Amino acid sequence: MKVIKIDKNEWASGLEKLRSAYELIGPVKEKFYHAFQSLESGQQPDMDYINTRVSPKYVIYPQSELILECSLNENDEDYKIYKEPEKEYTPKAILGIRPCDADSFSLVRRNFDTEEYKDPYWLRAYASTTFVGLACDQPCPTCFCSSAGSGPYSDNNLDILLADNGDHYLARVLTEKGKKLASAAGWSQEAGDEADQQIEQKKQEAESAIQSSVKTDKLASQSLLDLYDATNAIWEKEAFSCINCGTCTFVCPTCWCFDVQDEVAGKKGYRIRNWDSCMYPLFTMHASGHNPRGTKVDRLRQRFMHKLKYYVDKYENGIQCTGCGRCVQLCPVNIDIRRICNMLNSYDPESCTCEVTAS
Amino acid sequence: MKSYTDKIKEIAKRLLKEDKVDMVIGYRKGTVPLMHQPFFATSEGEVDSFVWDSNCGLNLANYITDRKERIGIVATGCNSRNIAVHVVEGKIQRDQLYIIGVPCQGMVDRHKLAAMAEGNIASVEEDEDKGTITISGQGFSKSVDKAEVLQENCSICVHRNPVLYDELVADEVTEQTREQADPYARVREIEAMSPDDKWAYFDDLLSDCIRCYACRNACPLCYCPQCFVDESNPQWVGKSVDPTDIRTFHLLRAYHCAGRCTDCGACVRSCPVGINVRDFTKKLEKDCLELYGWEAGLNTEQRPPLDTYKPEDPEDFIK
Ligand code: SF4
Ligand code: SF4
Ligand code: SF4
Ligand code: SF4
Ligand code: SF4
């Protein structure tokens, strides 16, 4: 695999060259925190960022997305006939995405791209995007990617992986998409023989800087019903502080649930899909008024059982979490998925106890 | 604050042991800095995980709505006022509660500290004698006066001592007067803006809102079985991230809190993107004080002014 060297001033000038062909998206410091944003002409991504509050999943899967529209003007031929709006899927590049966030797209793909069902919006947006990742040399205290199937130097789902090496980046160009972007930017300087070794060494340093982890080895062999029924041992106590705000699901790169709404503005009708959350009572409210997940204990259990058990059983490919740590940092009442994962993993149905350890 | 923590534990254990209550609601130490977790103990062993310091900013009154048990609850000034509001509004009975009053020294602002840190905060230390907070993480460590990083609502608070309690964990703290605290300085600044500037101000204030409703759900006042934003028949508000819908949510919610809000700051503390939604509620609090001489939650008898009608209600402000 080819490693190229990108001097940091070449990085900046290369981005300017990309603008004619790509919409550039990168981390930008807002009022207090960083967020992924479309970069205006001349604006550079802040590659020294630590983490964004909201994950970049919105680039492929926006929080509110127009999927159909229709005319409500009686004189129009297509009155009340829903049609797909004209949408442009111009090439985009996400710059400086963290490896865990990039990895999340492969987890989410299992939902949006299946044998029976292919989500056209997600797939088109995904296909038009190039992922330029930045390896994490300074993981946060809440990062547990290494034990969640990803890692600070993971190149899963990336087109290019950058490693910061002082005045330059060492870049692994991983795919055709990545090659195309690198050549459009004019980045072609070969990095030399020692580059692979340098990256490997940085990788090991980064991995050993990860302080936090989850145990997942026994999740698959636990009985689903035992875990579901562990109300006293796990769910009631852990759900007590939950306020069902949905922050955890909104900031999470791997949460994928949505709701479809019709709205009217002037003489037009719009069908919009919005992120939804299993933490909201409305999520499962039936038209009859019955709600099968009527309490917050039910809803909290759903979130964690989905990520840590149903997903594990269904796809046999690990947990539905990349260890980005956002929900751990941002839950306003300190519900910690690491703690709950370790509880589920160690639950003993005989004694109804867990080895509780919050890492 | 070891002395407070010890006293809370002692009282909680006694209440459980003497079977005065079925559960005690307090905070246990969080798994991340600045974030203690609301937690209930039903056994003396569980009481041992209780903690008290400047990171107990969630409002525990949020957790007693419609509960049937006999509850011991730890309460600061503002939390005790929200408990009083709950009692007035019939969400809990006074005699179900044993209130462990905490003379409060204010909570630190997690958003401010996060913005100050040059990296992720790995630990927070409080030095009570010096009155400082030290945050540290990879490659940085910074000490600041606690007064500088108090939550804004705490720095202007004039009811730090619980208004309602069965037992206090320490002697009362000195209250600042309203003149000293000048709690409405920020509201006056906004009031003085031109309509265009106000529009721009609120537009900017809400620009990052992701409509997760953490602010609403963290608030003890927001206990309606179904919030107006969740109703679908009729549907009052659209559900996308349209700015008009977001503004509608915030304005209406604030009005539902008028005369009931205690400025506890739980809404702001829980917002993942740090929006100061108190800009709305504080204005209504000021209006209630100026127009009706009313402050929320100071007793358990009187209903809030927008909830009652009296022939002698002031009305000269109605145009
Ligand atoms: S777990 Fe935390 S973030 Fe998620 S809904 Fe509950 S309170 Fe909100
Ligand atoms: S569950 Fe939490 S830690 Fe895991 S990917 Fe989602 S936000 Fe990140
Ligand atoms: S508002 Fe007052 S009583 Fe409430 S936490 Fe702050 S200082 Fe304490
Ligand atoms: S908590 Fe913050 S982001 Fe969430 S709805 Fe409230 S203001 Fe918006
Ligand atoms: S609106 Fe905010 S400040 Fe007022 S009572 Fe509710 S949570 Fe506390």
Side-chain angles (χ1 to χ4, degrees), chain A residues 95-115:
Chain A
L95 307 167
I97 186 172
R98 305 199 326 167
C100 56
D101 285 346
D103 187 41
S104 73
F105 292 102
S106 49
L107 273 66
V108 170
R109 181 173 208 121
R110 299 192 179 112
N111 182 52
F112 287 120
D113 180 14
T114 66
E115 287 286 314

Side-chain angles (χ1 to χ4, degrees), chain B residues 28-95:
Chain B
R28 77 174 163 194
K29 189 168 165 39
T31 56
V32 291
L34 302 166
M35 276 288 189
H36 291 332
Q37 183 178 34
F39 173 72
F40 72 93
T42 48
S43 69
E44 291 181 48
E46 282 172 335
V47 166
D48 281 326
S49 54
F50 277 166
V51 63
W52 186 270
D53 61 23
S54 308
N55 303 298
C56 299
L58 260 292
N59 191 327
L60 296 182
N62 202 25
Y63 296 96
I64 57 175
T65 314
D66 291 331
R67 288 201 86 107
K68 300 290 173 253
E69 301 93 332
R70 296 168 304 154
I71 299 169
I73 182 169
V74 175
T76 58
C78 58
N79 285 210
S80 76
R81 292 170 63 200
N82 278 101
I83 295 173
V85 175
H86 256 42
V87 172
V88 171
E89 297 180 359
K91 301 317 286 176
I92 193 91
Q93 301 296 319
R94 175 65 182 94
D95 59 13

Side-chain angles (χ1 to χ4, degrees), chain B residues 176-221:
Chain B
Q176 40 183 359
T177 63
R178 192 164 283 122
E179 289 64 41
Q180 289 164 337
D182 195 10
Y184 302 116
R186 191 178 165 92
V187 180
R188 284 199 307 272
E189 267 170 42
I190 301 173
E191 283 172 343
M193 289 179 186
S194 71
D196 284 348
D197 287 351
K198 262 185 210 162
W199 185 266
Y201 179 82
F202 285 107
D203 220 21
D204 180 56
L205 178 74
L206 296 180
S207 60
D208 295 339
C209 177
I210 55 170
R211 235 176 143 183
C212 63
Y213 300 141
C215 49
R216 174 195 70 183
N217 293 17
C219 175
L221 306 172

Side-chain angles (χ1 to χ4, degrees), chain A residues 60-74:
Chain A
I60 310 297
Y61 173 39
Q63 181 166 4
S64 292
E65 179 168 31
L66 180 63
I67 51 177
L68 296 174
E69 62 187 2
C70 72
S71 161
L72 295 177
N73 186 341
E74 288 169 33

Side-chain angles (χ1 to χ4, degrees), chain A residues 182-232:
Chain A
S183 81
W187 298 324
S188 56
Q189 195 186 343
E190 299 255 348
D193 299 339
E194 73 285 13
D196 263 320
Q197 219 190 331
Q198 273 175 313
I199 296 178
E200 189 52 37
Q201 194 190 337
K202 283 172 73 67
K203 176 179 173 193
Q204 279 171 15
E205 283 165 20
E207 280 173 355
S208 59
I210 299 266
Q211 301 158 22
S212 171
S213 64
V214 288
K215 292 204 180 78
T216 57
D217 55 319
K218 289 192 240 139
L219 288 173
S221 59
Q222 291 281 29
S223 138
L224 188 152
L225 286 177
D226 282 344
L227 294 181
Y228 186 93
D229 285 332
T231 311
N232 291 331

Side-chain angles (χ1 to χ4, degrees), chain B residues 76-78 104 106-107 153-154 157 159-160 263-264:
Chain B
T76 58
C78 58
C104 182
M107 298 300 148
N153 63 307
C154 295
C157 173
H159 294 290
R160 294 183 159 193
D263 204 27
C264 72

